[in-house]
Amino acid sequence: MQLDAVTIDIGTTRPLVLLHSVDAAEMGAHPLDRVRIEDGTESMTGIVKRTDELVDRGTIGVTEPLRHVRGTVDVTLAGQPRSVRYVRKKLDDVELDADELETIVRDVHENRLSDVELGAYVSAIYANGLSLEETEHLTQAMTEVGQQLTWKGPVVADKHSIGGVAGDSVTPIVVSIVAETGLTMPKTSSRAVTSPAGTADVMEVFCDVEFSIDEIEAIVAETNGCLVWGGGVDLSPVDDEIIRAENPLSIDPPGQLIASVLSKKRSAGSTHVVIDVPYGEGAKVESLVDARKLADDVKRVGDHLDVDVTCAITHGTAPTGRGVGPVLEARDVLAVLEGDGPEPLRLKSIRLAEMLLDHCGVDASAADVLDSGRALERFRRIVAAQNGDSEVESDDLEPGEETTTVRADRSGIATRIDNRQLSDVARRAGAPLDARAGLVIHREAGEAVVAGDSLYTIHAEAAAKLEEANALADRLEPIRVRSKADALVERR
């Protein structure tokens, strides 16, 4: 069928085409079928959406990825990508081989899967998991797609956290310490997946995080390190597409998580990596047994990729910092670098930096580098190199002005601070898209509380979002207060 191509912006990164329902019926094209589009010079594939209003009969609407299609084109039905069959296999809990996983990765990269099919892939991995062999094959395939960074030195340091702990913004502090010792640490980070703030979201409070590879190389040459968004430089770009599918479901299945982390590290040119695996009630990994298994799997996949990985298994039962959300976590980061800030955040940053320095064979004290102010100066140099204000101080960072303080309705002891619930409330308040949204935690687990004491304060940029966060907080119990007698029973 010959149709006239017109460009239609419907805000999608997928190669969708819009067919009038009469033309689609005549062609036998159903929603999510594929059509082949030929303009005399090349052949392209589009995913069908049917409409009665957005395009006229005799016309095919092409979206942003196909915007170069012009004039009269030949449109015929095309078959499904092979990867759809492999997604169905995984939904049936059948183990996939290397070629099948490579095909899925290639089709994701080339935008051949619809959002529904990509969601089915993520759901299949979440429901049925990945074997270690599948994880190795998937990680390798994801690494080979997209750009890769290379560095001159034999040792390139890196650090990553599995996540699940509120206010756990240790990465900017660790990078500042490690880079100050002379090691190369080009840190590429993700934006938030299931949390109120990823490292890239926190750093964007201070400076730009999207750079080209040439710009990143210049920043690292000047400062020994960087803190940039990995998605801006096409490192393991399939990971970014999968994260986009995971976001609405707030899921991050272990096998895919390992592939995500290590494909990014390998693509970034990292040789020595410390992976933080927090565990505990409310964290992403809840038991010590699961944390150890995940750590073992990460190290084995790292060996497969020739990346030297060591894991830190840390307690994740309570938030690391006081702030949750981009601006509030940025404030904690800068306060620690300035010599103040939450003590758990300071201690964890020192521990992970010490592990990474030792792993890289560097004889230096992370605590000395931090306490001397040298890490702060290195951080300011990195911020300046990334087009930020190097003179900013922690007190300059103001959260959203719409606030509510949640108070204890009884006297007793704060027996539990729930990472997941705090993160849910912060996200409902608008974080991470609203950078100044989030919450500030006023209590620690085990602390005595008097009725009326403040437990945490919610910050939002809009009154409507504050109201939504308040409503969620009323249904949850992010900070659990129990009488002393009940607290003793809980500890038993």
Side-chain angles (χ1 to χ4, degrees):
M1 179 179 290
Q2 288 196 328
L3 300 172
D4 293 327
V6 295
T7 302
I8 294 183
D9 182 7
I10 57 174
T12 180
T13 60
R14 315 234 70 73
L16 299 180
V17 297
L18 280 69
L19 295 176
H20 192 278
S21 295
V22 174
D23 291 335
E26 186 176 331
M27 191 183 301
H30 298 90
L32 300 185
D33 278 350
R34 269 75 176 177
V35 292
R36 184 169 290 107
I37 307 165
E38 298 182 11
D39 63 1
T41 60
E42 62 176 320
S43 177
M44 299 139 286
T45 300
I47 301 170
V48 172
K49 290 184 73 71
R50 294 171 59 146
T51 178
D52 291 322
E53 298 177 353
L54 295 180
V55 296
D56 296 327
R57 290 186 62 183
T59 299
I60 181 171
V62 295
T63 52
E64 177 66 17
L66 299 170
R67 65 186 182 281
H68 58 284
V69 177
R70 293 285 187 275
T72 301
V73 294
D74 288 314
V75 183
T76 56
L77 278 177
Q80 282 186 329
R82 281 186 298 152
S83 58
V84 175
R85 298 201 300 271
Y86 305 149
V87 170
R88 283 199 295 266
K89 284 180 66 174
K90 196 61 194 173
L91 284 166
D92 290 332
D93 199 15
V94 177
E95 186 165 336
L96 303 180
D97 62 30
D99 288 343
E100 291 168 335
L101 287 162
E102 287 171 10
T103 300
I104 291 174
V105 168
R106 185 171 60 251
D107 283 351
V108 172
H109 181 55
E110 295 177 2
N111 281 326
R112 292 176 181 165
L113 297 184
S114 68
D115 286 335
V116 171
E117 291 157 347
L118 189 56
Y121 165 76
V122 169
S123 299
I125 303 304
Y126 177 74
N128 298 320
L130 293 169
S131 69
L132 184 62
E133 290 74 18
E134 284 178 306
T135 303
E136 289 176 348
H137 296 320
L138 177 62
T139 309
Q140 186 71 50
M142 290 174 63
T143 299
E144 292 171 355
V145 172
Q147 296 176 302
Q148 297 194 17
L149 296 173
T150 56
W151 307 96
K152 293 181 180 178
V155 175
V156 179
D158 211 335
K159 171 265 169 194
H160 185 84
S161 176
I162 297 303
V165 178
D168 197 34
S169 291
V170 300
T171 298
I173 304 169
V174 172
V175 171
S176 302
I177 293 171
V178 172
E180 178 59 24
T181 69
L183 280 171
T184 298
M185 192 167 180
K187 184 72 179 77
T188 61
S189 300
S190 299
R191 298 189 185 276
V193 180
T194 59
S195 72
T199 299
D201 302 307
V202 173
M203 281 306 300
E204 203 164 33
V205 173
F206 297 108
C207 55
D208 294 340
V209 295
E210 295 189 37
F211 296 96
S212 67
I213 285 181
D214 289 344
E215 290 169 333
I216 290 173
E217 289 173 345
I219 293 166
V220 174
E222 180 182 345
T223 68
N224 293 341
C226 66
L227 287 148
V228 301
W229 177 49
V233 285
D234 203 34
L235 302 179
S236 186
V238 168
D239 180 47
D240 299 309
E241 285 298 304
I242 291 171
I243 286 173
R244 186 178 64 81
E246 290 173 334
N247 263 329
L249 301 172
S250 291
I251 60 175
D252 202 3
Q256 186 64 55
L257 182 152
I258 293 171
S260 169
V261 171
L262 292 183
S263 65
K264 290 285 191 187
K265 300 308 166 196
R266 188 69 181 83
S267 298
S270 304
T271 63
H272 292 67
V273 183
V274 167
I275 305 289
D276 175 27
V277 185
Y279 78 95
E281 187 181 5
K284 190 176 291 185
V285 181
E286 296 212 343
S287 74
L288 180 57
V289 170
D290 288 342
R292 286 174 173 163
K293 182 183 185 307
L294 183 60
D296 287 343
D297 288 348
V298 169
K299 286 187 280 189
R300 289 176 65 179
V301 176
D303 289 342
H304 180 76
L305 294 175
D306 199 25
V307 177
D308 195 349
V309 176
T310 189
C311 292
I313 297 178
T314 59
H315 289 290
T317 53
T320 308
R322 293 285 190 178
V324 181
V327 164
L328 290 162
E329 293 183 41
R331 188 169 68 179
D332 281 351
V333 165
L334 197 48
V336 168
L337 289 165
E338 291 168 346
D340 195 7
E343 188 66 5
L345 182 62
R346 175 184 179 277
L347 292 176
K348 185 171 182 178
S349 299
I350 290 172
R351 178 191 173 189
L352 293 175
E354 289 278 10
M355 283 188 66
L356 187 52
L357 292 172
D358 182 66
H359 191 50
C360 294
V362 174
D363 183 15
S365 168
D368 287 349
V369 175
L370 179 61
D371 294 342
S372 66
R374 290 161 53 204
L376 173 62
E377 292 307 309
R378 179 66 55 170
F379 179 76
R380 294 194 184 283
R381 286 180 60 186
I382 293 171
V383 167
Q386 292 184 202
N387 306 322
D389 178 8
S390 62
E391 301 302 318
V392 67
E393 297 181 355
S394 56
D395 289 343
D396 298 331
L397 302 176
E398 295 290 338
E401 296 177 355
E402 300 288 340
T403 67
T404 295
T405 297
V406 177
R407 301 184 180 277
D409 60 4
R410 73 189 80 178
S411 297
I413 295 176
T415 60
R416 180 190 175 198
I417 301 180
D418 192 303
N419 283 301
R420 193 168 295 154
Q421 291 190 16
L422 287 170
S423 294
D424 288 346
V425 173
R427 287 173 69 91
R428 192 65 61 89
L433 295 180
D434 296 343
R436 297 191 301 134
L439 51 85
V440 177
I441 304 157
H442 302 305
R443 301 295 157 190
E444 296 181 2
E447 185 176 349
V449 174
V450 175
D453 281 352
S454 59
L455 299 178
Y456 58 95
T457 299
I458 305 171
H459 290 268
E461 296 183 16
K465 291 186 179 180
L466 178 65
E467 186 176 342
E468 290 179 10
N470 285 334
L472 179 61
D474 286 342
R475 297 196 298 273
L476 303 177
E477 193 178 22
I479 298 181
R480 186 166 61 202
V481 177
R482 295 291 182 265
S483 68
K484 291 182 180 180
D486 288 341
L488 285 173
V489 171
E490 279 192 16
R491 281 201 290 270
R492 290 174 189 161

